[in-house]
Amino acid sequence: MTQQNYPEHIDLATVAHVEGVVRLPGSKSISNRILLLAALAEGETRIGGLLASDDTHVMLNALRELGVRWEAQPTMDGYPMHTVAGGGGVGGVHFAPSADLFMGNAGTAIRPLTAALAVIGGDYKLHGVPRMHERPIGDLVDALNAIGAQIEYTGNPGYPPLHIRKGNLTAQRLSVRGDVSSQFLTALLMVAPLMAQGHAVTIDVVGELISKPYIQITLNLMRRFGVTVEQDGWASFTVQAGQRYKSPGLIHVEGDASSASYFLAAGAIAGGPVRVEGVGRDSIQGDVRFAEALEQMGVQITMGDNWIEAKSNGPLKAVDMDFNHIPDAAMTIAVAALYADGTTTLRNIASWRVKETDRIAAMATELRKLGAVVEEGADYLKVTPPAAIGSAAIDTYDDHRMAMCFSLVALDGALRRGNNVRINDPKCVAKTFPDYFDAFAAIAK
Ligand SMILES: O=C(O)C1=C[C@@H](OP(=O)(O)O)[C@@H](O)[C@H](O)C1
Ligand SMILES: C=C(OP(=O)(O)O)C(=O)O
């Protein structure tokens, strides 16, 4: 796995100011979607800028176990170029007939692969780290089993581990709940062309769909691989018969917009300007809208096609916002709220409870350690900053975003020298950003 040699915990040395340019690692969401689409497509795909982290290694290793040929070659710009041999398109996808696959804690790997393997058929076991076995997958399994898939739970019903056997999928119409994770709909959309042989396939969404911008990423990348999806609002999606995934040849992975949030927030809290390169106005990721939230907090934001810059503009303004569209980057707002001039409310974030940890509970616990007054609800968080941020050792719950979010407070401590904030178990950043603390140290001068 992708481990940097970080110590047991990180204490930042004293820094004078925060400023600089950060070249972002590739987007996790885009990387894992492209890998699977490339494996399902006709022809060979060359992928520039793929994220190298635990989540993408899980997907790459699974594809290798399934007999998909891929290789990585170094390039002049420091990022490897991955080449994935396609599976021959719809009807021509030949995965190994059986495999035992470790999915780590990568939602973007287990959910789409479950759908793909159920549709392709074979004898597959999928399992992950203990937390993965607490993350729901029942809505996706129900949707697939209802149309003839053979997926069994080998642990607790509704959760991985899973055993997938060969089923007989024939449906022209299926439905899936959209209110626990958008990844279930993403998974079904990605395999819909494999089912749409001889007839169209329509997917109906039951319940209010959450995290909608991630569906836009899915549809955008499917289009890049030659498949268009007809959309009836957010309620139903149709893939017409006879479409096949075709390799676009070369495809480039944007920088990760969720990873960008920590650097932008650092610029917002501690001076700046801090510029991130790799995402900007042209991005297909919803999390670029984190910049809008910062703007509402009074931060000076400038944006180019492929970069975003944040500069502090005095103390932050407290906000009361719905963050359903950017659940990952919203965690960064919860920590930035420590520097606001009043109570910040994050609404409509229930999905936080079923991610790497119960993020609403974890965030509330750790913010309180620093002296904040936090009110926690089933789907919201209210953060009132303390008069002075205290010293604390922050626990990270094996959640990369907890570690990256709270690095902002460690930074504040290092700048103002009044407090000391230690980050326990920083290695968990390996899920999406293995050298995060090195990149962070480079802007804290
Ligand atoms: O499809 C994706 O790439 C993702 C969707 C989101 O999950 P939910 O749809 O479960 O909110 C997000 O939190 C996750 O990090 C990545
Ligand atoms: C929720 C996340 O990951 P996953 O793709 O495993 O759902 C995340 O990266 O914040």
Side-chain angles (χ1 to χ4, degrees):
M1 290 278 118
T2 15
Q3 299 264 301
Q4 204 72 359
N5 288 326
Y6 289 135
E8 294 278 295
H9 53 253
I10 283 187
D11 299 294
L12 283 191
T14 302
V15 297
H17 73 154
V18 175
E19 184 177 354
V21 178
V22 179
R23 194 172 153 199
L24 296 167
S27 153
K28 168 199 73 172
S29 295
I30 297 177
S31 293
N32 271 354
R33 281 171 175 74
I34 288 181
L35 284 172
L36 183 57
L37 291 172
L40 298 176
E42 193 179 291
E44 185 178 274
T45 305
R46 289 166 64 233
I47 309 167
L50 194 83
L51 171 65
S53 77
D54 284 357
D55 276 13
T56 51
H57 285 166
V58 151
M59 181 62 109
L60 282 164
N61 289 340
L63 292 177
R64 182 150 278 161
E65 292 285 323
L66 290 165
V68 176
R69 282 181 296 111
W70 61 262
E71 59 176 35
Q73 268 160 356
T75 65
M76 301 277 282
D77 72 358
Y79 290 120
M81 175 71 73
H82 286 76
T83 307
V84 178
V90 173
V93 181
H94 297 296
F95 281 172
S98 67
D100 188 334
L101 304 174
F102 175 67
M103 301 276 91
N105 197 5
T108 54
I110 195 168
R111 276 103 181 227
L113 273 173
T114 294
L117 297 174
V119 170
I120 290 166
D123 190 326
Y124 304 108
K125 292 190 171 135
L126 275 70
H127 51 92
V129 300
R131 176 62 183 171
M132 177 63 104
H133 298 173
E134 296 172 352
R135 296 184 66 189
I137 199 161
D139 293 337
L140 177 61
V141 170
D142 288 349
L144 288 161
N145 281 350
I147 57 162
Q150 294 274 348
I151 308 172
E152 273 171 27
Y153 302 110
T154 53
N156 291 328
Y159 302 87
L162 303 176
H163 186 180
I164 303 174
R165 292 199 183 78
K166 197 167 176 55
N168 180 22
L169 282 82
T170 50
Q172 303 184 19
R173 194 151 199 142
L174 62 152
S175 59
V176 65
R177 294 201 66 89
D179 51 0
V180 170
S181 170
S182 70
Q183 292 177 357
F184 306 147
L185 175 59
T186 278
L188 294 173
L189 284 166
M190 286 175 79
V191 300
L194 276 59
M195 296 191 276
Q197 296 180 48
H199 55 77
V201 168
T202 296
I203 305 167
D204 296 311
V205 181
V206 180
E208 176 71 18
L209 179 65
I210 64 163
S211 305
K212 294 185 182 75
Y214 288 97
I215 299 303
Q216 275 161 333
I217 300 179
T218 305
L219 298 178
N220 184 300
L221 293 174
M222 287 174 67
R223 209 156 44 236
R224 302 277 291 279
F225 279 80
V227 171
T228 54
V229 179
E230 291 160 22
Q231 199 176 341
D232 177 6
W234 296 103
S236 91
F237 298 81
T238 298
V239 174
Q240 293 297 344
Q243 300 193 73
R244 329 158 54 88
Y245 286 128
K246 290 186 249 3
S247 165
L250 177 65
I251 190 160
H252 180 74
V253 178
E254 295 177 7
D256 193 295
S258 321
S259 299
S261 71
Y262 313 108
F263 302 105
L264 296 175
I269 292 165
V274 175
R275 181 182 286 214
V276 291
E277 288 182 347
V279 287
R281 258 193 305 262
D282 286 351
S283 174
I284 64 168
Q285 297 167 74
D287 269 10
V288 286
R289 293 186 58 197
F290 172 78
E292 288 170 17
L294 279 187
E295 251 175 344
Q296 293 213 22
M297 295 181 93
V299 178
Q300 191 180 315
I301 298 285
T302 38
M303 214 187 262
D305 293 345
N306 194 34
W307 56 267
I308 308 175
E309 193 172 283
K311 191 169 175 321
S312 143
N313 212 0
L316 298 183
K317 294 196 205 83
V319 291
D320 181 335
M321 282 178 69
D322 184 320
F323 283 104
N324 195 274
H325 61 303
I326 55 167
D328 294 356
M331 289 178 75
T332 315
I333 297 290
V335 173
L338 286 171
Y339 304 94
D341 60 3
T343 302
T344 289
T345 307
L346 293 92
R347 298 190 189 275
N348 209 357
I349 52 167
S351 73
W352 281 24
R353 295 213 181 263
V354 291
K355 294 197 167 164
E356 280 76 338
T357 183
D358 176 342
R359 287 174 165 172
I360 294 185
M363 188 57 84
T365 303
E366 301 310 308
L367 287 172
R368 282 181 192 130
K369 282 187 187 170
L370 296 165
V373 175
V374 184
E375 184 186 319
E376 173 191 335
D379 67 347
Y380 75 89
L381 204 57
K382 270 183 202 247
V383 183
T384 307
I389 295 172
S391 294
I394 299 295
D395 291 316
T396 47
Y397 307 78
D398 208 14
D399 181 349
H400 54 144
R401 298 201 194 284
M402 286 296 287
M404 295 190 280
C405 279
F406 280 91
S407 69
L408 296 169
V409 200
L411 181 65
D412 182 71
L415 273 165
R416 291 173 202 192
R417 297 169 208 186
N419 57 358
N420 180 18
V421 174
R422 163 177 286 186
I423 310 293
N424 287 332
D425 188 25
K427 285 194 189 69
C428 60
V429 296
K431 187 173 192 282
T432 54
F433 201 156
D435 58 1
Y436 173 75
F437 283 100
D438 297 335
F440 195 67
I443 58 159
K445 296 169 183 161

